[in-house]
Amino acid sequence: MMKKIILGILLGASGIAFASEGVDITLYGGGIDYRNSLKDRAYIGGVYFMQSFIPSGNMFKFEADGERTLIKYKDRSCYGQKDLTGKITSYLGKNWEFSFGGHKIFVDSDDDSEWVVFGGAKYYKYGVFNVGSDFFYSYYNYVDGNSAKVYQVSPYIGAFFGNPYSYMARHFGIFYLELRGNYQKINGQVLNEKDRYFSEAAKIFNYHKNYTLELGIEYGKNKYKVLDGGFVVRNLGDVYKSSYYGKIVVPLNSNLSVTAKYQRIKLDDGGEKQDVAMGYVNYYF
């Protein structure tokens, strides 16, 4: 199992080293506790699906995610939305990866039009390093007549430390470090809108024996930011200032794993803070 988990980490971070087909299904849920905010609590639940296949020698991966969010305010009002995301990734040769997809947001209470299209390119050397960039275009058209167009570029670079089959890896695990920048340009009629934002993010993970530990930090103001390759969209118009998180993945057997994640987020408006707790159950076959 150790070799299989290590290979899974390498595949996820630096690309596909060998061709394999499979299906991945993840059920997840969690909540958000708000401080210094008009919001009280939020509840999140969803399902993620991934299918990898090899139609003509090169590997392709299809991903889809459906998510439901419900936010309760202290005045007893509620806000709800549903998110649908689709993404296709193509692995060309041994060193290149290209992806594109879309994210659509359905707000419960009105007819706002909110959607994102995105793409990305990455060059990698398996188990050594990777470098690439993601590109996002977000469009918001609100029923009150305001609108916003957001252009986001997110370049990144990552590197591995430690041979996965060495003595050091068996005792201390392997490490992967990634640094990412996020530049945003906003055009539109949203009132009091700053038109440019820049933020930085870093994450490191370590596999040691039968778990994977991931730690991450984000710093710098951002608004309408898209994260996690297009699967997470901060669409409510809040200005985010910083965040940090920790995540642990524990495999139960060769096909089943569970994940727990905690994140603290700080907003720029009024000192609002968010404590996010999420749980995931993943099955691969």
Side-chain angles (χ1 to χ4, degrees):
M1 176 178 291
M2 181 176 180
K3 181 181 292 187
K4 180 174 182 178
I5 299 300
I6 288 176
L7 289 176
I9 294 171
L10 295 177
L11 295 180
S14 83
I16 297 297
F18 55 87
S20 60
E21 295 182 319
V23 174
D24 188 323
I25 297 176
T26 301
L27 302 176
Y28 62 90
I32 305 175
D33 182 53
Y34 296 90
R35 302 180 184 182
N36 303 322
S37 173
L38 297 176
K39 306 180 187 73
D40 185 21
R41 294 182 182 276
Y43 304 93
I44 304 169
V47 57
Y48 165 86
F49 171 85
M50 185 275 289
Q51 167 76 65
S52 56
F53 51 96
I54 311 171
S56 58
N58 291 319
M59 187 171 184
F60 290 83
K61 180 173 68 176
F62 171 74
E63 299 170 90
D65 182 84
E67 183 175 290
R68 171 66 170 162
T69 302
L70 181 64
I71 301 175
K72 294 187 175 182
Y73 288 79
K74 292 178 180 178
D75 64 0
R76 298 183 181 276
S77 61
C78 292
Y79 168 89
Q81 71 177 50
K82 295 177 284 290
D83 293 64
L84 293 177
T85 309
K87 184 176 182 179
I88 295 177
T89 303
S90 173
Y91 301 91
L92 301 180
K94 297 181 179 180
N95 302 105
W96 285 99
E97 173 186 322
F98 299 93
S99 61
F100 66 91
H103 185 124
K104 174 65 176 175
I105 300 170
F106 303 88
V107 180
D108 291 356
S109 58
D110 53 47
D111 296 322
D112 290 347
S113 178
E114 305 181 17
W115 49 266
V116 181
V117 292
F118 53 85
K122 176 166 68 175
Y123 177 83
Y124 61 88
K125 187 173 181 180
Y126 174 69
V128 181
F129 76 94
N130 60 80
V131 60
S133 185
D134 294 320
F135 308 91
F136 307 95
Y137 171 75
S138 306
Y139 179 75
Y140 300 91
N141 187 24
Y142 301 110
V143 294
D144 62 4
N146 286 325
S147 64
K149 299 176 181 179
V150 186
Y151 305 88
Q152 178 179 329
V153 180
S154 301
Y156 59 88
I157 185 169
F160 289 89
F161 302 91
N163 187 320
Y165 308 111
S166 67
Y167 173 86
M168 293 294 291
R170 291 196 298 271
H171 288 79
F172 301 101
I174 60 172
F175 292 84
Y176 171 76
L177 174 65
E178 182 178 288
L179 304 176
R180 177 181 293 264
N182 296 280
Y183 172 78
Q184 295 174 278
K185 175 70 170 64
I186 301 176
N187 296 331
Q189 296 82 42
V190 180
L191 296 179
N192 301 318
E193 186 67 79
K194 179 181 177 181
D195 64 349
R196 288 179 174 85
Y197 291 93
F198 184 79
S199 59
E200 307 87 27
K203 68 178 180 180
I204 185 170
F205 70 71
N206 167 240
Y207 170 75
H208 184 260
K209 296 183 180 179
N210 288 329
Y211 66 83
T212 302
L213 178 64
E214 180 178 343
L215 302 173
I217 187 171
E218 173 191 26
Y219 184 79
K221 294 182 181 181
N222 63 88
K223 191 171 187 177
Y224 300 114
K225 187 177 180 178
V226 186
L227 304 93
D228 293 349
F231 287 91
V232 175
V233 179
R234 293 173 171 171
N235 65 302
L236 297 183
D238 297 319
V239 178
Y240 288 76
K241 187 176 182 180
S242 62
S243 71
Y244 60 85
Y245 71 87
K247 181 169 67 174
I248 186 169
V249 182
V250 180
L252 302 180
N253 56 45
S254 59
N255 300 98
L256 183 66
S257 68
V258 294
T259 302
K261 179 180 179 180
Y262 168 79
Q263 184 175 22
R264 163 63 68 89
I265 300 173
K266 185 176 181 180
L267 275 66
D268 189 54
D269 302 327
E272 178 180 322
K273 297 180 181 179
Q274 303 176 4
D275 292 304
V276 185
M278 298 291 295
Y280 309 78
V281 178
N282 170 265
Y283 186 76
Y284 177 83
F285 56 94

